[in-house]
Amino acid sequence: MGSKDSFAGGGGPIGDDLRDGIDDWLASLPGSPGDDAPAHSGDTKKDSPQRPTLPGTGPMPLSPKAKRVAKTALLFRTASGTGSSARKGTSAQFPRSAATSARTAGRGAAAAYAYRTGDAETLKELGLDYDALLANPNVFDVVHQIVGAICEELPDQIESDEQRFVVAEVAEWVVTTNTGGPDPTPAEIAQETLAIVLTWAYLTTTAGELNTKDLAGPERVAFEIEVRAACEELSAQVNLNPTNPTANEFVTAVESGLEHLQAVYGSDNE
């Protein structure tokens, strides 16, 4: 089975844009040779990713790292005809379907929310048993079972591998965020799901380039954390507000979010 670590690149000219500047990003990681920030506690670099704005607060200027990932949405084919096939008249290598990616991620979000809120009926519709999940003391095994049910029928290809990572991270975020406190709202879940979809599309597309770098484990982790934060910042530019925490609502929110980002950040002048 393919994976982001064995994939050579892809994405056509869009992928080339996303991979361009990787060296500069890696040099800016905390503790890297190119990091000239003071090493005392509490210091932050001036171009570190902003945290997401609250849904509905309107677009904010993007940080430099969010600008780096902004064209990631163009890696997805959408019903409106934008995305990779529309840019420079060239279809991207390994083009993703926005509808397929949104469907898998949205169903994963709905399953995780149903588990967290005790919605046995929704879980049954998605092929899961609430009582069995509730009796499992290992929350990460619960996440694994959600991934298995949602991704069971995906074909054996790189895009499917990426979607499994997406569902795993979405489910873990929904299940573990603010444990013991209020549940995440549908809007917060939709926004984070979109961010995770973008994160893995970016990481898959840049994996081949990253694998040529001499990165220690902590450096790779730090880079992926920064990518996630940048994609969260980007997803916050979209006003996602599903009215109900259903699979269809989450799927629609993610797909419309990708189309919105393509429209806003698709120009070569951005």
Side-chain angles (χ1 to χ4, degrees):
M1 179 183 297
S3 73
K4 72 178 180 65
D5 291 322
S6 61
F7 184 51
I14 304 163
D16 291 340
D17 281 355
L18 294 174
R19 288 184 288 272
D20 185 44
I22 285 287
D23 287 336
D24 291 340
W25 192 334
L26 296 177
S28 74
L29 292 175
S32 67
D35 178 22
D36 56 2
H40 59 80
S41 175
D43 181 76
T44 57
K45 292 178 68 64
K46 63 182 179 181
D47 64 343
S48 59
Q50 303 170 10
R51 297 303 298 171
T53 59
L54 293 175
T57 59
M60 298 289 289
L62 294 180
S63 69
K65 290 187 174 71
K67 288 179 181 178
R68 286 183 186 272
V69 304
K71 292 187 186 297
T72 303
L74 290 168
L75 293 168
F76 295 83
R77 301 188 313 276
T78 63
S80 63
T82 54
S84 59
S85 62
R87 184 162 186 241
K88 298 183 180 178
T90 305
S91 294
Q93 304 168 47
F94 182 41
R96 296 159 181 79
S97 163
T100 300
S101 296
R103 183 178 186 275
T104 307
R107 285 164 56 84
Y113 187 81
Y115 164 75
R116 177 154 181 165
T117 58
D119 184 352
E121 183 176 350
T122 293
L123 284 168
K124 184 177 180 180
E125 292 172 357
L126 295 171
L128 292 155
D129 183 281
Y130 175 65
D131 291 333
L133 294 178
L134 187 63
N136 190 337
N138 188 333
V139 68
F140 297 104
D141 188 54
V142 169
V143 168
H144 177 75
Q145 291 186 51
I146 290 174
V147 175
I150 299 302
C151 302
E152 181 179 12
E153 297 182 358
L154 292 180
D156 187 12
Q157 58 189 35
I158 294 173
E159 185 174 1
S160 301
D161 204 28
E162 181 179 297
Q163 290 172 30
R164 292 184 184 95
F165 283 113
V166 168
V167 173
E169 290 204 12
V170 168
E172 181 179 340
W173 187 88
V174 174
V175 169
T176 62
T177 293
N178 201 24
T179 304
D183 299 327
T185 67
E188 290 170 336
I189 293 172
Q191 183 174 306
E192 192 67 23
T193 301
L194 175 59
I196 293 170
V197 168
L198 292 167
T199 297
W200 278 99
Y202 181 89
L203 291 176
T204 301
T205 302
T206 59
E209 179 74 14
L210 287 173
N211 289 341
T212 68
K213 312 301 179 185
D214 185 19
L215 291 180
E219 290 177 304
R220 185 65 174 257
V221 170
F223 176 73
E224 294 190 359
I225 288 172
E226 288 199 358
V227 171
R228 172 78 168 266
C231 289
E232 286 175 337
E233 182 186 338
L234 187 62
S235 73
Q237 309 303 306
V238 188
N239 184 14
L240 300 178
N241 192 26
T243 56
N244 294 296
T246 65
N248 286 340
E249 291 274 353
F250 287 133
V251 169
T252 298
V254 173
E255 188 170 8
S256 64
L258 289 171
E259 291 192 342
H260 175 86
L261 292 174
Q262 287 181 357
V264 174
Y265 301 109
S267 169
D268 285 333
N269 296 321
E270 287 293 337

